[in-house]
Short mmCIF file of all heavy atoms in Angstrom, two decimals:
data_model
loop_
_atom_site.label_atom_id
_atom_site.label_comp_id
_atom_site.label_asym_id
_atom_site.label_seq_id
_atom_site.Cartn_x
_atom_site.Cartn_y
_atom_site.Cartn_z
N TRP U 561 100.14 118.87 68.68
CA TRP U 561 101.54 118.50 68.64
C TRP U 561 101.71 117.07 68.18
O TRP U 561 102.67 116.77 67.50
CB TRP U 561 102.21 118.71 69.94
CG TRP U 561 102.66 120.14 70.14
CD1 TRP U 561 102.24 120.98 71.18
CD2 TRP U 561 103.48 120.96 69.35
NE1 TRP U 561 102.83 122.26 70.99
CE2 TRP U 561 103.56 122.24 69.91
CE3 TRP U 561 104.25 120.69 68.17
CZ2 TRP U 561 104.31 123.25 69.30
CZ3 TRP U 561 104.93 121.70 67.62
CH2 TRP U 561 105.06 122.95 68.10
N LEU U 562 100.76 116.16 68.51
CA LEU U 562 100.88 114.85 67.96
C LEU U 562 100.71 114.89 66.43
O LEU U 562 101.40 114.21 65.78
CB LEU U 562 99.78 113.97 68.62
CG LEU U 562 99.79 112.50 68.14
CD1 LEU U 562 101.11 111.86 68.29
CD2 LEU U 562 98.65 111.70 68.86
N ARG U 563 99.73 115.65 65.93
CA ARG U 563 99.52 115.73 64.48
C ARG U 563 100.74 116.29 63.82
O ARG U 563 101.17 115.85 62.76
CB ARG U 563 98.29 116.61 64.20
CG ARG U 563 96.96 115.97 64.43
CD ARG U 563 95.79 116.77 63.80
NE ARG U 563 95.63 117.97 64.53
CZ ARG U 563 94.79 118.14 65.57
NH1 ARG U 563 94.10 117.16 66.03
NH2 ARG U 563 94.64 119.36 66.15
N LYS U 564 101.40 117.31 64.41
CA LYS U 564 102.60 117.89 63.83
C LYS U 564 103.69 116.89 63.84
O LYS U 564 104.55 116.88 62.88
CB LYS U 564 102.97 119.17 64.61
CG LYS U 564 102.03 120.37 64.40
CD LYS U 564 102.52 121.54 65.19
CE LYS U 564 101.55 122.71 64.99
NZ LYS U 564 101.44 123.14 63.56
N HIS U 565 103.80 116.08 64.86
CA HIS U 565 104.84 115.01 64.89
C HIS U 565 104.62 113.99 63.81
O HIS U 565 105.56 113.63 63.06
CB HIS U 565 104.78 114.29 66.25
CG HIS U 565 105.80 113.30 66.44
ND1 HIS U 565 105.78 112.01 65.94
CD2 HIS U 565 107.02 113.39 67.14
CE1 HIS U 565 106.87 111.30 66.34
NE2 HIS U 565 107.70 112.17 67.05
N VAL U 566 103.36 113.62 63.56
CA VAL U 566 103.03 112.74 62.47
C VAL U 566 103.35 113.28 61.15
O VAL U 566 103.99 112.61 60.25
CB VAL U 566 101.55 112.29 62.54
CG1 VAL U 566 101.17 111.48 61.30
CG2 VAL U 566 101.28 111.42 63.81
N GLU U 567 103.00 114.55 60.91
CA GLU U 567 103.27 115.20 59.64
C GLU U 567 104.79 115.28 59.43
O GLU U 567 105.26 114.99 58.28
CB GLU U 567 102.65 116.62 59.70
CG GLU U 567 101.14 116.64 59.67
CD GLU U 567 100.52 117.93 59.93
OE1 GLU U 567 101.37 118.96 60.07
OE2 GLU U 567 99.31 118.10 60.00
N LYS U 568 105.56 115.70 60.35
CA LYS U 568 107.02 115.83 60.21
C LYS U 568 107.63 114.50 59.99
O LYS U 568 108.49 114.37 59.17
CB LYS U 568 107.61 116.55 61.45
CG LYS U 568 109.09 116.87 61.33
CD LYS U 568 109.35 117.79 60.16
CE LYS U 568 110.83 118.20 60.08
NZ LYS U 568 111.07 119.12 58.95
N LYS U 569 107.17 113.44 60.65
CA LYS U 569 107.74 112.16 60.51
C LYS U 569 107.47 111.62 59.13
O LYS U 569 108.38 110.99 58.56
CB LYS U 569 107.19 111.28 61.62
CG LYS U 569 108.07 109.93 61.70
CD LYS U 569 107.65 109.14 62.98
CE LYS U 569 108.62 107.95 63.14
NZ LYS U 569 108.27 107.20 64.32
N ARG U 570 106.29 111.93 58.63
CA ARG U 570 105.96 111.47 57.25
C ARG U 570 106.91 112.12 56.21
O ARG U 570 107.36 111.48 55.21
CB ARG U 570 104.54 111.85 56.91
CG ARG U 570 104.07 111.31 55.53
CD ARG U 570 102.65 111.72 55.18
NE ARG U 570 101.73 111.06 56.03
CZ ARG U 570 100.92 111.62 56.96
NH1 ARG U 570 101.02 112.96 57.09
NH2 ARG U 570 100.05 110.93 57.65
N ILE U 571 107.25 113.32 56.45
CA ILE U 571 108.25 114.04 55.52
C ILE U 571 109.62 113.46 55.65
O ILE U 571 110.31 113.16 54.66
CB ILE U 571 108.21 115.59 55.83
CG1 ILE U 571 106.86 116.21 55.53
CG2 ILE U 571 109.37 116.27 55.11
CD1 ILE U 571 106.80 117.60 55.95
N LEU U 572 110.06 113.25 56.89
CA LEU U 572 111.45 112.72 57.09
C LEU U 572 111.61 111.36 56.68
O LEU U 572 112.73 111.03 56.17
CB LEU U 572 111.73 112.81 58.66
CG LEU U 572 111.85 114.25 59.23
CD1 LEU U 572 112.04 114.14 60.78
CD2 LEU U 572 113.00 114.98 58.58
N PHE U 573 110.67 110.47 56.83
CA PHE U 573 110.85 109.09 56.52
C PHE U 573 110.02 108.60 55.27
O PHE U 573 110.03 107.43 54.99
CB PHE U 573 110.45 108.22 57.68
CG PHE U 573 111.32 108.48 58.92
CD1 PHE U 573 110.88 109.40 59.88
CD2 PHE U 573 112.57 107.89 59.07
CE1 PHE U 573 111.64 109.67 61.00
CE2 PHE U 573 113.29 108.18 60.19
CZ PHE U 573 112.86 109.02 61.17
N GLY U 574 109.42 109.53 54.57
CA GLY U 574 108.51 109.16 53.44
C GLY U 574 109.30 108.52 52.38
O GLY U 574 108.73 107.74 51.57
N GLN U 575 110.59 108.79 52.16
CA GLN U 575 111.41 108.20 51.04
C GLN U 575 112.05 106.93 51.48
O GLN U 575 112.78 106.35 50.60
CB GLN U 575 112.41 109.29 50.60
CG GLN U 575 111.86 110.63 50.16
CD GLN U 575 110.91 110.41 49.10
OE1 GLN U 575 111.14 109.67 48.11
NE2 GLN U 575 109.78 111.18 49.05
N ASP U 576 111.91 106.48 52.68
CA ASP U 576 112.58 105.23 53.18
C ASP U 576 111.75 104.08 52.58
O ASP U 576 110.60 103.93 52.82
CB ASP U 576 112.56 105.21 54.68
CG ASP U 576 113.39 104.12 55.24
OD1 ASP U 576 113.64 103.13 54.54
OD2 ASP U 576 113.81 104.17 56.41
N ASN U 577 112.52 103.19 51.89
CA ASN U 577 111.82 102.01 51.26
C ASN U 577 111.25 101.06 52.37
O ASN U 577 110.37 100.29 52.04
CB ASN U 577 112.81 101.21 50.40
CG ASN U 577 113.16 102.04 49.20
OD1 ASN U 577 112.43 102.85 48.69
ND2 ASN U 577 114.46 101.88 48.62
N ASN U 578 111.83 101.10 53.57
CA ASN U 578 111.33 100.22 54.63
C ASN U 578 110.18 100.89 55.42
O ASN U 578 109.64 100.24 56.38
CB ASN U 578 112.49 99.89 55.55
CG ASN U 578 113.58 99.03 54.91
OD1 ASN U 578 113.24 98.18 54.06
ND2 ASN U 578 114.81 99.33 55.24
N TYR U 579 109.83 102.09 55.05
CA TYR U 579 108.85 102.80 55.77
C TYR U 579 107.40 102.29 55.30
O TYR U 579 107.08 102.32 54.15
CB TYR U 579 108.97 104.27 55.51
CG TYR U 579 107.89 105.18 56.13
CD1 TYR U 579 107.94 105.45 57.47
CD2 TYR U 579 106.92 105.76 55.35
CE1 TYR U 579 107.00 106.29 58.09
CE2 TYR U 579 105.99 106.63 55.89
CZ TYR U 579 106.05 106.82 57.27
OH TYR U 579 105.15 107.66 57.79
N THR U 580 106.59 101.90 56.29
CA THR U 580 105.28 101.37 55.89
C THR U 580 104.10 102.27 56.29
O THR U 580 102.97 102.07 55.93
CB THR U 580 105.07 100.02 56.57
OG1 THR U 580 105.04 100.20 58.00
CG2 THR U 580 106.18 99.03 56.23
N GLY U 581 104.36 103.26 57.14
CA GLY U 581 103.28 104.13 57.62
C GLY U 581 102.83 103.75 59.01
O GLY U 581 102.19 104.52 59.69
N GLN U 582 103.21 102.55 59.42
CA GLN U 582 102.81 102.09 60.76
C GLN U 582 103.64 102.77 61.80
O GLN U 582 103.28 102.86 62.98
CB GLN U 582 103.04 100.58 60.89
CG GLN U 582 102.15 99.70 59.97
CD GLN U 582 100.69 99.84 60.28
OE1 GLN U 582 100.27 99.96 61.45
NE2 GLN U 582 99.89 99.91 59.22
N GLU U 583 104.75 103.41 61.44
CA GLU U 583 105.67 103.97 62.34
C GLU U 583 105.26 105.43 62.72
O GLU U 583 105.94 106.00 63.52
CB GLU U 583 107.09 104.00 61.80
CG GLU U 583 107.63 102.65 61.41
CD GLU U 583 107.27 102.22 59.98
OE1 GLU U 583 106.47 102.91 59.38
OE2 GLU U 583 107.87 101.21 59.51
#
Side-chain angles (χ1 to χ4, degrees):
W561 278 121
L562 179 58
R563 285 193 291 268
K564 291 182 181 296
H565 186 278
V566 170
E567 292 168 0
K568 185 62 177 179
K569 197 169 185 182
R570 185 182 290 115
I571 294 173
L572 293 174
F573 298 96
Q575 302 301 319
D576 190 339
N577 292 331
N578 295 322
Y579 177 75
T580 65
Q582 298 295 321
E583 302 88 349

